[in-house]
Amino acid sequence: MLAYHDHELWVEGQPLRALAAGMPTPFYLYSLPALDQRAQRLRAAFPDAWVAFAYKANRHPVLLRRLAEHGFGADVVSLGELHAARAAGVPPEKIILNGNAKTRDELRAAIRMQVGLIQLDAREEVPRVAQVASEEERSVAVGLRINPGLDVDTHPHLQVGAAGSHFGIPPDQVLEAARAVADAAFLELRGLHLHVGSQLTDEAAFEVLAREAATWYRRLRAAGHAIEVVNVGGGWGIDYAGEGREIAPEALARIFARAFAGESVRLALEPGRWLVGPIGVLVVRVVQVKRAWGRVFVAVDGGMNALLRPALYAARHRILPARLGEPVTRVDVVGPNCESADVLARDVPLPPVAEGDLLVVLDAGAYGQTMANTYNARPLPPALVVG
Ligand code: LLP
């Protein structure tokens, strides 16, 4: 998607500077050909799976429509995401409603739309969903989100399947929740769901997840529940550091196939970051270069308002200049907001830059634009799709 020609950064065959000419900075830039490549690779690895793209990662309508055209469904967690999925052309039966605090309005909308699956996050949620379903007189396919109590290696904010987490049903309540669903007139227990964390780059975490999922599948079947769909969530890590450490869908396919050998289950997947992270960048413009305390601070016009991940998770994103030059030195790229945490990246190798120059923050396609905010009364960043 990115390449230098004659010292100038090009994106999908066009100079970045030309693309940026009509855009206010900061802005997001997405590549459709890069999205197609990743979507096709994922589909080839999992030809039969129910792939529900996690809308929280990116909900640009052009990208959503493209993913729907690739046959992907949607993992949604709010009314807004539910409507985005329908607007993108996702058939209701490919939509999965997730969330630990689904309101009655959200449940009612999903039930009326007849989404494919509603994942229950708590045994306490069973009567609420059952009541809305009976008011609507519609039978509802549900799955149980199980919290297996696994510690996975990622930032603590991105760990959601560990003991003590507020997500999912703890192991000692799963069978009770399953019985409650079985006893509810309009609910049908069809699935189980495990999602234990995000940005996991170690295949071993997925080995453990797959074993847990298979164990729960057999346990629930043995208790008489006709589980058909096993949803193994998302969490596939990408290569933020540029070190070649990215989860390979082909490896995951082998792991899940081994865990469910001989069973006729339908696998559901909810990848977000892996599909869209590497296909987007954030373009920012240099406002001022300050030399102080023995450091060089390159202040740009978009920071934690446009891309919150570095401030919130100490996430590392590589930054490239629009134009190469010499000498390359290490600088801190800081945002414009009045917070010490508003640092996009430290020790970034950059050539000399000056006011007006463009920089691109890599791997910003997931949880970038969707987490942007209006802190310090700055406008939300727009996006440009190329391809
Ligand atoms: N399924 C469920 C139930 C989830 O909670 C999530 C993400 C996903 C799927 C998609 O996970 P992915 O494949 O994208 O890792 N804002 C954070 C990430 C939070 C992820 C929350 N749940 C970040 O910027 O890294």
Side-chain angles (χ1 to χ4, degrees), residues 314-346:
R316 296 188 68 100
H317 285 258
R318 287 169 292 160
I319 297 182
L320 296 180
R323 192 175 24 209
L324 294 175
E326 297 285 341
V328 171
T329 58
R330 301 243 161 206
V331 303
D332 293 348
V333 179
V334 303
N337 301 290
C338 305
E339 291 260 353
S340 297
D342 195 19
V343 175
L344 281 177
R346 291 198 191 278

Side-chain angles (χ1 to χ4, degrees), residues 52-58 75-77 96 98-99 119 121 145 154-155 157-160 167 193-200 206 231-238 240 269-276 307-310 312-313 315 317 366-368 370-371:
F53 170 63
Y55 272 33
K56 57 179 84 68
N58 192 310
D75 152 26
V76 304
V77 295
I96 300 175
N98 270 305
Q119 310 276 19
D121 189 80
R145 174 160 181 186
T154 188
H155 189 282
H157 291 186
L158 306 188
Q159 249 197 31
V160 289
F167 293 105
H193 178 212
L194 282 92
H195 169 87
V196 293
S198 202
Q199 183 51 19
L200 310 176
F206 292 96
N231 181 344
V232 290
W236 312 3
I238 62 168
Y240 285 109
L269 310 167
E270 299 172 333
R273 185 188 322 265
W274 191 92
L275 270 167
V276 293
L307 179 67
L308 186 57
R309 305 192 68 257
L312 192 57
Y313 314 117
H317 285 258
Y367 307 107
T370 53
M371 292 175 76

Side-chain angles (χ1 to χ4, degrees), residues 146-352:
I146 300 172
N147 178 340
L150 293 178
D151 268 326
V152 289
D153 179 21
T154 188
H155 189 282
H157 291 186
L158 306 188
Q159 249 197 31
V160 289
S165 158
H166 67 272
F167 293 105
I169 305 172
D172 61 341
Q173 298 178 8
V174 172
L175 289 173
E176 179 194 340
R179 272 194 303 275
V181 172
D183 290 345
F186 286 90
L187 303 188
E188 289 173 26
L189 183 54
R190 293 266 180 76
L192 68 86
H193 178 212
L194 282 92
H195 169 87
V196 293
S198 202
Q199 183 51 19
L200 310 176
T201 49
D202 191 353
E203 280 171 23
F206 292 96
E207 302 262 10
V208 179
L209 170 77
R211 271 202 302 276
E212 279 287 327
T215 303
W216 280 108
Y217 172 76
R218 294 191 184 106
R219 236 177 241 160
L220 285 163
R221 297 280 292 199
H225 302 289
I227 304 293
E228 297 153 15
V229 180
V230 174
N231 181 344
V232 290
W236 312 3
I238 62 168
D239 187 18
Y240 285 109
E243 293 167 342
R245 269 167 63 90
E246 173 173 282
I247 283 292
E250 301 78 13
L252 293 188
R254 280 193 296 274
I255 290 171
F256 294 128
R258 250 198 320 271
F260 289 97
E263 310 280 9
S264 64
V265 300
R266 181 155 186 231
L267 203 61
L269 310 167
E270 299 172 333
R273 185 188 322 265
W274 191 92
L275 270 167
V276 293
I279 69 118
V281 297
L282 176 69
V283 182
V284 294
R285 206 177 275 283
V286 174
V287 176
Q288 177 166 278
V289 180
K290 178 192 284 188
R291 290 183 169 74
W293 314 107
R295 305 188 74 86
V296 180
F297 298 105
V298 174
V300 298
D301 58 5
M304 63 194 290
N305 58 310
L307 179 67
L308 186 57
R309 305 192 68 257
L312 192 57
Y313 314 117
R316 296 188 68 100
H317 285 258
R318 287 169 292 160
I319 297 182
L320 296 180
R323 192 175 24 209
L324 294 175
E326 297 285 341
V328 171
T329 58
R330 301 243 161 206
V331 303
D332 293 348
V333 179
V334 303
N337 301 290
C338 305
E339 291 260 353
S340 297
D342 195 19
V343 175
L344 281 177
R346 291 198 191 278
D347 294 319
V348 181
L350 280 185

Side-chain angles (χ1 to χ4, degrees), residues 6 26 30 65 91 105 127 139 166 215 217 277 288 320 362 368:
D6 220 1
Y30 303 122
R65 186 156 284 279
D105 285 347
S139 87
H166 67 272
T215 303
Y217 172 76
Q288 177 166 278
L320 296 180
L362 301 192

